[in-house]
């Protein structure tokens, strides 16, 4: 009779203790009908600098009947495994630093307590060698240090992030007692554990051997990718250069990070990972996409408008969505117990702000995935009222069996995550009309952004029975009256402008009021 392996089993070699994914050999002898379920994990992927709302927002969709937006296309094949949340956030404007704090802490002024990932990490750590991993794509942003962190300890202090895939790989899979010089002389991790791996394979069944081969192949590919990053041939003499903290190609670096996240969760090296695809206020240049301007500059697409700038911004956002797709594909492809690794991982993807130029903290992009039995996926949930992120965090804590009365300024958990018991968005009835008096134009109707990329600075007010009123104003009016905050809602707007044929155009705003909603900044978040 083959004795079962302990879950915390390692392949051993000189200077190496290499964790394993879940194998059938680790299954305890059945004493009941239900098999033992692998542990539940928590994974967060943070997207910096908000979105271009017309490209992200779903228009007119229902819970089970919706069309994914253009920016969601890269992960459309995962539709059945994701839960898309809308009308998240309700706080008017947001600074970049506030958006990072809010993302996992509920409110920007929650500065004395732990972020939700760290509360979860404390609860689910078990006997994993690493309580949590806090990862990032870029270094600190010293001009506004708060832009660089989404994870905070029990005292509200930021937790340092790691950005070098090579060092993370060493931390996860190499003996930390080995010196750097010894590590260089050593061969591949796999070469050093091959005897132990062969011995294990002789004990394993067909399915376990397949899982083991698949796991070792992933590790080998991760090693190969890291080796290629180190061995790229320089075009100039770099003998005197200092080793950079990250790989030269951003896409390769991020793919290596996703490799490591997959391996860390699959081997139960940790059960909690947060990964920032960039700092909020990120100044990265995506030259590998043919882009020469900084991401932050491009995110302000209204004040820095040009068609090429907007297209560059959308390329960056699409790349972010492709990384989410890449991560989802990895988690779905790995067997974990009786299901997939994704089934046993609650994934949170999103940002801390909505409109990238005006920094609105409403309609914040939030996507949940995985968590079989905890989340009811394949749905689009747009709430009737804006929902504070703290309510989402309370729900996440409940999923992991953590009892608490409040989090991030919220005292009620978010409904609708594992069933349909929520109040969906239904537009309230309102009268729409237009009145003109000389150059003064007054209009009541639904405000929206143009979905024409050549008119990205243009807004329209829809009025029943006539051509929409065009709102073409300066950045000052756009900002002072927070047009982006009111998009998709009924407003009363007064301004000055002119008529061109049957088209009324407002060029300057003098007054704007919400018909049903709150004024921006009326809640503290």
């Amino acid at each position: 009779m083959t004795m079962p392996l302990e879950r915390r089993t390692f392949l051993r070699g000189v200077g190496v203790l290499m964790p394993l994914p879940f194998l059938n050999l680790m299954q305890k002898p059945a004493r009941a009908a239900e098999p033992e379920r692998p542990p539940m994990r928590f994974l967060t992927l943070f997207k910096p600098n908000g979105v271009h709302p017309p490209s992200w927002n779903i228009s007119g969709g229902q819970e089970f009947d919706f069309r994914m937006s253009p920016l969601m296309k890269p992960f459309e094949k995962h539709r059945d495994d994701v839960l898309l949340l809308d009308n998240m956030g309700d706080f008017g404007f947001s600074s970049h630093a506030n958006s990072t704090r809010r993302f996992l802490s509920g409110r920007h002024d929650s500065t004395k307590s732990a972020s939700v990932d760290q509360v979860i990490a404390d609860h689910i750590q078990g006997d994993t060698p690493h309580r949590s991993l806090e990862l990032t794509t870029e270094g600190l942003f010293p001009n506004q240090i708060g832009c660089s962190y989404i994870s905070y300890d029990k005292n509200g202090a930021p937790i340092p992030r790691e950005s070098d895939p090579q060092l993370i790989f060493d931390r996860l899979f190499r003996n930390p007692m080995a010196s750097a010089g010894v590590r260089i002389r050593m061969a591949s991790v796999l070469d050093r554990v091959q005897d132990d791996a062969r011995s294990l394979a002789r004990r394993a069944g067909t399915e376990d051997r397949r899982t083991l081969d698949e796991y070792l192949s992933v590790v080998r590919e991760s090693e190969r990718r890291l080796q290629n990053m180190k061995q790229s041939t320089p075009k100039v003499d770099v003998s005197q250069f200092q080793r950079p903290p990250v790989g030269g190609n951003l896409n390769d670096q991020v793919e290596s990070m996703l490799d490591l996240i997959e391996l860390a969760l699959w081997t139960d090296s940790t059960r909690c990972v947060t990964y920032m695809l960039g700092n909020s206020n990120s100044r990265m240049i995506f030259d590998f996409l043919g882009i020469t301007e900084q991401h932050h500059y491009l995110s302000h697409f209204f004040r820095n408008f040009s068609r090429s700038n907007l297209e560059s911004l959308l390329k960056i956002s699409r790349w972010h969505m492709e990384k989410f797709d890449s991560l989802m594909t990895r988690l779905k492809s790995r067997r974990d117990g009786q299901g997939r690794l994704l089934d046993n991982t609650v994934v949170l993807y999103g940002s801390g702000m909505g409109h990238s130029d005006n920094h609105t903290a409403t309609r914040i992009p939030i996507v949940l995935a995985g968590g079989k039995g905890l989340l009811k996926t394949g749905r689009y949930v747009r709430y009737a009222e804006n929902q504070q992120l703290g309510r989402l965090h309370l729900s996440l804590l409940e999923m992991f069996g953590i009892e608490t009365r409040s989090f991030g300024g919220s005292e009620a958990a978010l409904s609708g995550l594992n069933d349909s018991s929520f109040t969906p968005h239904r537009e309230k009835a309102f009268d729409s009309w237009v009145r003109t008096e000389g150059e003064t134009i007054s209009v009541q109707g639904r405000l929206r952004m143009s979905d024409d990329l050549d008119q990205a600075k243009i807004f329209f007010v829809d009025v029943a029975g006539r051509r929409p009123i065009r709102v073409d104003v300066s950045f000052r009016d756009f900002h002072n009256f927070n047009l982006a905050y009111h998009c998709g809602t009924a407003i009363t707007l007064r301004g000055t402008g002119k008529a061109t044929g049957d088209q009324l155009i407002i060029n300057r705003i003098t007054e704007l009021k919400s018909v049903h909603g709150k004024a921006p900044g009326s809640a503290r978040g």
Side-chain angles (χ1 to χ4, degrees), residues 137-154:
T137 300
E138 61 179 321
L140 294 174
F141 182 63
N143 291 353
Q144 200 174 11
I145 201 70
C147 296
S148 307
Y149 300 99
I150 57 174
S151 295
Y152 300 87
D153 67 19
K154 63 182 180 180

Side-chain angles (χ1 to χ4, degrees), residues 87-106:
N87 277 359
M88 298 301 300
D90 187 22
F91 312 117
F93 292 112
S94 172
S95 72
H96 281 285
N98 286 355
S99 75
T100 49
R101 174 75 72 162
R102 176 186 301 108
F103 184 60
L104 293 179
S105 297

Side-chain angles (χ1 to χ4, degrees), residues 193-263:
V193 299
Q194 59 183 348
D195 290 341
D196 206 16
R198 291 192 192 101
S199 176
L200 178 59
R202 285 193 291 270
R203 299 174 55 191
T206 302
E207 190 173 20
D208 275 353
R209 284 198 297 272
R210 186 184 308 117
T211 299
L212 186 61
D213 288 344
E214 189 176 10
Y215 169 58
L216 297 178
S217 295
V218 173
V219 175
R220 179 74 76 185
E221 174 61 22
S222 182
E223 285 190 322
R224 184 199 63 77
R225 196 192 306 273
L226 293 174
Q227 194 67 23
N228 287 345
M229 288 171 61
K230 291 187 294 184
Q231 293 180 349
S232 57
T233 303
K235 296 181 180 179
V236 296
D237 181 12
V238 297
S239 59
Q240 302 302 314
F241 287 9
Q242 296 296 314
R243 179 176 180 269
V246 296
N249 184 295
L250 177 63
N251 191 69
D252 286 345
Q253 178 200 357
V254 172
E255 286 295 319
S256 288
M257 283 293 206
L258 298 180
D259 285 342
L260 295 173
I261 291 171
E262 172 194 359
L263 289 172

Side-chain angles (χ1 to χ4, degrees), residues 20-57:
L20 290 168
F22 189 87
L23 301 172
N24 291 328
L25 280 173
M26 298 169 182
Q27 187 75 49
K28 295 178 181 178
R31 293 187 177 90
E34 288 295 321
E36 182 181 2
R37 178 170 180 169
M40 188 61 65
R41 294 89 162 184
F42 181 60
L43 168 60
T44 295
L45 201 61
F46 174 80
K47 179 201 179 311
N49 293 341
V51 291
H52 173 246
S55 300
W56 173 264
N57 292 339

Side-chain angles (χ1 to χ4, degrees), residues 100-133:
T100 49
R101 174 75 72 162
R102 176 186 301 108
F103 184 60
L104 293 179
S105 297
R107 294 166 58 126
H108 72 264
D109 55 3
S110 296
T111 59
K112 304 297 182 183
S113 56
S115 51
V116 69
D117 60 302
Q118 296 303 301
V119 179
I120 292 173
D122 281 337
H123 187 75
I124 67 175
Q125 177 185 2
D127 61 349
T128 58
H130 303 282
R131 175 183 168 278
S132 61
L133 293 179

